[in-house]
Amino acid sequence: MNNLLNFLFRYRGILVFGLLEVLSLYLYVRNSSYQKAAFFNSANAYTGEVLAVRTRVYDYFRLFEVNRNLVAENALLRQQLYRSDVAGREADTLPVAQDSVSQARLRKLARPDSLLLGLRQIPARDPDYPLIPARVINNSLRKVDNYLTLNVGSVDGVKPGMGVLAAAGVVGRVKVASEHYATVTSVLHSKTSISAKLQRDGTFGSIKWLGDDPTTALLDYIPRQNKLVRGDTVVTSGYNAIFPEGVMIGRVESFVREPDKNFWTVRVRLSVDFTKLTYVYVVSARPKAERDTVEVRTGIKLEEEEKP
């Protein structure tokens, strides 16, 4: 207390001078309309700058939550694109009524502030390929057999054997699922084989990784008599029911006709950049259980993705 009193006594002149300056400035601004307007305009400008900086800092720390919400909304929208072969036949044979959702509601969904509300108002349709959004928390690239780790598990509905997609295309297949985490065999795995086809002519093949370049893979079983074009789109065939039909895998980068083979050696540039993979979708095919049961009873063993 004595130190405080000594400080106030020692600097009493400066403190009184500062107090009088503040009081005079206050009286000057209060009694002058022009200065009052100028002061408040300047104060509003500085306050706006401070609030803008605060908002940017606040938004930065909310990025994780915002991204998580966007991924969930994207999953709701994306799963509407995937239909099973049964759903496709029903859509081709049954008349489709044009409802009001396609126009008025889509215009409403275009407004970001009402996106989630609009999604909840859309009549629920049981999707053929439900999607579970997930975040990649670990990813290996430099090995022959590469894996990813996701922050979702059995409590979220993830099971071994489910496919994993990204916005750009196919990522891999779930190998092991614990309660809260899942390990995924990525496309960059020596034992991963994905049933694929050329979108242009429907020729079926199989995607396998060569174990060297993480940006390319090999498309096998394309007959030599087929005409290939550089840049041809390669998509999933839908044969194994793990992935929906027509999901992007990559584009033909080069092809060579080997003299001792009946198939082209086709190198495909993968559409997914595994070095920047952050958010993915675990896909579960509802028709798969019934299809597997029928094929097992018939004794059919289709060549699907190899289980590493």
Side-chain angles (χ1 to χ4, degrees), residues 2-289:
N2 291 332
N3 292 334
L4 178 60
L5 294 176
N6 291 334
F7 174 81
L8 295 176
F9 180 78
R10 178 179 300 179
Y11 296 101
R12 62 187 183 279
I14 297 176
L15 293 176
V16 171
F17 175 77
L19 180 61
L20 292 175
E21 282 289 329
V22 172
L23 180 60
S24 61
L25 181 61
Y26 169 74
L27 294 175
Y28 177 68
V29 171
R30 182 179 180 181
N31 296 320
S32 174
S33 58
Y34 174 78
Q35 296 298 334
K36 185 176 182 180
F39 173 79
F40 282 109
N41 288 337
S42 301
N44 288 338
Y46 287 116
T47 302
E49 290 292 336
V50 173
L51 292 177
V53 173
R54 189 197 68 173
T55 301
R56 287 197 292 268
V57 174
Y58 178 70
D59 288 343
Y60 176 80
F61 287 102
R62 288 183 62 248
L63 285 178
F64 175 77
E65 180 184 354
V66 171
N67 287 336
R68 183 176 58 186
N69 291 337
L70 288 176
V71 170
E73 293 169 6
N74 287 339
L76 291 175
L77 293 172
R78 187 175 293 276
Q79 69 187 9
Q80 306 299 322
L81 303 175
Y82 304 140
R83 299 186 306 171
S84 66
D85 51 355
V86 176
R89 289 196 300 270
E90 291 177 350
D92 293 336
T93 56
L94 296 178
V96 179
Q98 182 69 24
D99 57 15
S100 59
V101 175
S102 59
Q103 298 297 329
R105 190 160 293 166
L106 286 180
R107 284 195 296 269
K108 184 177 181 181
L109 291 181
R111 299 200 303 268
D113 57 344
S114 62
L115 179 57
L116 187 56
L117 178 61
L119 286 174
R120 290 172 179 171
Q121 289 176 347
I122 293 179
R125 181 181 72 85
D126 193 18
D128 297 310
Y129 292 92
L131 299 181
I132 304 170
R135 181 179 173 87
V136 178
I137 59 176
N138 191 23
N139 184 13
S140 61
L141 295 171
R142 297 184 175 89
K143 302 177 182 179
V144 177
D145 297 330
N146 294 290
Y147 295 91
L148 299 91
T149 304
L150 308 182
N151 66 343
V152 292
S154 58
V155 295
D156 303 292
V158 177
K159 298 178 182 179
M162 289 183 173
V164 180
L165 307 175
V170 176
V171 173
R173 185 178 181 182
V174 176
K175 179 179 177 63
V176 178
S178 65
E179 188 174 0
H180 299 288
Y181 298 95
T183 301
V184 176
T185 304
S186 78
V187 173
L188 309 181
H189 193 288
S190 63
K191 295 182 180 180
T192 296
S193 178
I194 301 172
S195 180
K197 68 177 180 180
L198 294 172
Q199 191 176 50
R200 179 173 53 85
D201 59 8
T203 304
F204 292 97
S206 180
I207 287 287
K208 295 182 179 180
W209 188 50
L210 298 177
D212 48 3
D213 186 359
T215 65
T216 61
L218 185 68
L219 178 61
D220 276 339
Y221 309 122
I222 303 298
R224 291 180 59 177
Q225 61 268 23
N226 278 56
K227 182 180 180 180
L228 293 176
V229 178
R230 187 176 181 181
D232 273 350
T233 302
V234 181
V235 297
T236 54
S237 66
Y239 268 14
N240 50 27
I242 296 174
F243 300 105
E245 181 181 357
V247 178
M248 184 73 171
I249 296 177
R251 297 186 183 277
V252 174
E253 183 176 66
S254 63
F255 45 91
V256 179
R257 181 177 294 176
E258 302 288 350
D260 57 340
K261 296 182 180 179
N262 295 323
F263 303 99
W264 288 98
T265 299
V266 184
R267 187 176 285 267
V268 175
R269 173 73 56 176
L270 297 175
S271 59
V272 174
D273 186 353
F274 284 87
T275 63
K276 300 178 181 179
L277 204 57
T278 305
Y279 290 97
V280 295
Y281 306 97
V282 181
V283 55
S284 173
R286 294 197 188 280
K288 189 175 186 301

